[in-house]
Amino acid sequence: MYISLKEAHNLLGMILLFGLFLIVMIILISFLRKKPFGKCSKITALTGLFLIHTQVSIGFILYFLSPLGKNNFSVDSMGHPISRFYLVEHPVGMILAAILITMGYSKAKKAGISSRGKYKRILICYGIAFSIIAYLIPWFLWS
Ligand code: HEM
């Protein structure tokens, strides 16, 4: 169970990172071409929301199963950079990224906002979320 979830979390993390990059590019092109914000743009943004919510849900379960998650919690572990990364920095930052994407999507869904306004909100929120995720993926442990 733990190994399969860890592998799913790793794979979905890469899909999410690549997917968010594509979503930001698609939204940016539509914005620059001054296209109206229609069903296609909404589905594109919704895909990012779905991916990050699924990934964060798996992350929460993993936090309770992994030897690097809750089981590793102690006063000493806060002084250890890798332990602190998995216990605090990685989860908190990723949850922040999920909140940003949720905010960007829900604002863009609202009536009474122009297409350009919707695109701008998605570009800002998804763009910042992408940077946070790219920064908090544990690349340093794989080198
Ligand atoms: C956008 C959201 C997230 C992304 C892209 C992401 C990505 C990743 C990646 C790529 C790994 C390395 C997996 C491996 O070495 O095989 C990892 C590990 C881990 N993540 Fe996340 N994560 C996210 C959210 C979360 C959240 C919200 C939590 C906890 C609440 C979490 C908890 C963990 C834990 C505990 C590990 C260590 C697993 C282990 O090696 O035992 N993640 N994450």
Side-chain angles (χ1 to χ4, degrees), residues 4-14 55 58-59 62 90:
S4 329
L5 264 185
K6 185 179 135 138
E7 276 167 12
H9 192 64
N10 192 0
L11 179 68
L12 192 59
M14 295 304 126
Q55 177 69 340
I58 297 175
L62 202 54
H90 179 83

Side-chain angles (χ1 to χ4, degrees), residues 102-134:
T102 310
M103 276 167 53
Y105 178 75
S106 60
K107 288 255 159 79
K109 225 175 48 173
K110 280 193 181 143
I113 301 174
S114 67
S115 283
R116 288 188 74 73
K118 289 181 180 186
Y119 283 132
K120 273 188 201 163
R121 279 184 171 86
I122 292 183
L123 284 173
I124 293 168
C125 292
Y126 283 44
I128 298 173
F130 171 82
S131 315
I132 295 175
I133 294 167

Side-chain angles (χ1 to χ4, degrees), residues 19-130:
L20 273 185
F21 178 76
L22 275 182
I23 290 168
V24 170
M25 286 303 130
I26 293 169
I27 295 290
L28 181 65
I29 291 168
S30 306
F31 172 73
L32 294 174
R33 287 190 177 163
K34 297 188 168 66
K35 281 190 179 173
F37 189 93
K39 207 174 168 187
C40 262
S41 307
K42 201 173 157 186
I43 292 172
T44 307
L46 183 63
T47 308
L49 183 79
F50 171 75
L51 286 176
I52 197 156
H53 279 208
T54 310
Q55 177 69 340
V56 166
S57 307
I58 297 175
F60 267 111
I61 304 170
L62 202 54
Y63 196 78
F64 290 94
L65 295 180
S66 166
L68 295 167
K70 191 190 143 282
N71 299 328
N72 187 32
F73 192 83
S74 71
V75 180
D76 292 345
S77 52
M78 287 301 135
H80 189 276
I82 294 178
S83 299
R84 197 177 55 236
F85 175 81
Y86 280 117
L87 280 167
V88 184
E89 292 155 9
H90 179 83
V92 171
M94 296 305 196
I95 290 168
L96 189 73
I99 293 172
L100 271 168
I101 288 194
T102 310
M103 276 167 53
Y105 178 75
S106 60
K107 288 255 159 79
K109 225 175 48 173
K110 280 193 181 143
I113 301 174
S114 67
S115 283
R116 288 188 74 73
K118 289 181 180 186
Y119 283 132
K120 273 188 201 163
R121 279 184 171 86
I122 292 183
L123 284 173
I124 293 168
C125 292
Y126 283 44
I128 298 173
F130 171 82

